[in-house]
Amino acid sequence: MFSGIIETIGTITRIDTIDEGARLTLRTSIPREEVSMGESICTNGTCLTVTLIEKDELSFDVSAESLRRTNLYDLQIGDNVNLERSLRLDDRLSGHLVFGHVDGVGQVQSIQPEGDSFLYTFTIPTELSRYLVEKGSVAVDGISLTVFNCKPTEFTCAIIPHTHAVTTLHRRKPGDRVNIEGDMQGKYIEKFVQEAVEGTLATQLQTLRDEIGALRKQVEQK
């Protein structure tokens, strides 16, 4: 589990194809002595497992499913990625709960300066819009952001200078693909409500069937 507060930026140094997946190797300033094999590190918003530690580099094995569902497939040697190590139980939660389970890929639609900040508008697949609410939270490439101006296929975030400088956002341009993870709380609420509604409908349908069956028996007896 993560918070969406980016710890540092890594640089891709090697990409190896492994079966249908890949092994990503990156250079990072995270101290090697603080990283363990098997540790989870959020990489551009995707929860990846450390599989190799060498000097100033870390490697991660990426499944074919992760490549299909995220922008990790787009990475090239020299590209930068946002990195965040998993939360400790005693950590402050400065952003929101991020799981590193990317829901889909969006695109940077526009970047507009506003004072010393920036307004980023992102386009998203329509099926992701239901997880976005005005002034709610979203993870974009692993960055915890507040959304506004929510529409069926887009939303906007105001990016302060600090966030712009310490994440990969300052390298983004219109057309770039970004990983999107909606707030997990919304997904659970959606599931509970859906199951409750479906359960109610199923009960009503069974009651109706029972009543029809009883009427048929009465007709047959007559």
Side-chain angles (χ1 to χ4, degrees):
M1 189 177 297
F2 311 91
S3 70
I5 303 302
I6 303 305
E7 184 174 351
T8 187
I9 292 176
T11 303
I12 301 296
T13 58
R14 194 167 68 248
I15 302 174
D16 300 309
T17 300
I18 302 177
D19 295 327
E20 295 184 6
R23 173 169 291 174
L24 296 180
T25 300
L26 55 85
R27 184 178 299 110
T28 171
S29 61
I30 298 175
R32 292 296 80 73
E33 63 274 12
E34 295 183 10
V35 180
S36 302
M37 290 287 291
E39 180 177 339
S40 296
I41 295 182
C42 198
T43 307
N44 262 15
T46 309
C47 181
L48 298 180
T49 301
V50 176
T51 55
L52 187 63
I53 303 173
E54 294 181 315
K55 297 180 180 179
D56 62 343
E57 294 183 334
L58 302 176
S59 294
F60 307 87
D61 289 351
V62 186
S63 68
E65 171 68 3
S66 293
L67 292 176
R68 283 192 297 267
R69 296 290 296 271
T70 72
N71 66 5
L72 297 182
Y73 180 83
D74 304 335
L75 291 174
Q76 299 179 12
I77 294 174
D79 284 350
N80 293 135
V81 291
N82 295 317
L83 300 175
E84 180 193 355
R85 285 177 290 181
S86 56
L87 288 171
R88 298 183 179 91
L89 290 178
D90 60 349
D91 279 345
R92 293 185 179 90
L93 185 61
S94 297
H96 73 282
L97 292 179
V98 175
F99 290 79
H101 303 156
V102 175
D103 294 310
V105 176
Q107 280 190 323
V108 179
Q109 183 182 60
S110 64
I111 304 171
Q112 299 292 332
E114 186 177 59
D116 58 356
S117 297
F118 299 87
L119 297 180
Y120 275 65
T121 297
F122 303 95
T123 58
I124 53 172
T126 54
E127 64 267 20
L128 298 187
S129 63
R130 65 182 184 270
Y131 300 127
L132 300 177
V133 296
E134 198 76 9
K135 302 304 180 182
S137 297
V138 68
V140 177
D141 276 348
I143 310 164
S144 177
L145 299 175
T146 301
V147 304
F148 65 96
N149 197 23
C150 298
K151 297 179 180 179
T153 59
E154 66 180 56
F155 65 92
T156 300
C157 298
I159 312 299
I160 63 173
H162 174 76
T163 302
H164 194 256
V166 302
T167 70
T168 57
L169 283 175
H170 68 278
R171 296 181 180 272
R172 289 300 184 191
K173 59 185 183 302
D176 283 355
R177 302 196 330 143
V178 292
N179 292 326
I180 304 293
E181 180 188 333
D183 193 336
M184 184 64 76
Q185 295 178 73
K187 299 172 193 175
Y188 277 117
I189 292 172
E190 178 187 53
K191 180 176 174 63
F192 293 151
V193 171
Q194 183 178 3
E195 290 183 348
V197 170
E198 290 176 350
T200 300
L201 291 176
T203 300
Q204 292 175 343
L205 181 59
Q206 186 59 49
T207 300
L208 182 59
R209 287 172 176 166
D210 292 342
E211 291 176 351
I212 292 174
L215 288 173
R216 284 177 177 172
K217 287 182 179 180
Q218 290 178 11
V219 171
E220 290 172 355
Q221 291 173 354
K222 292 181 178 180

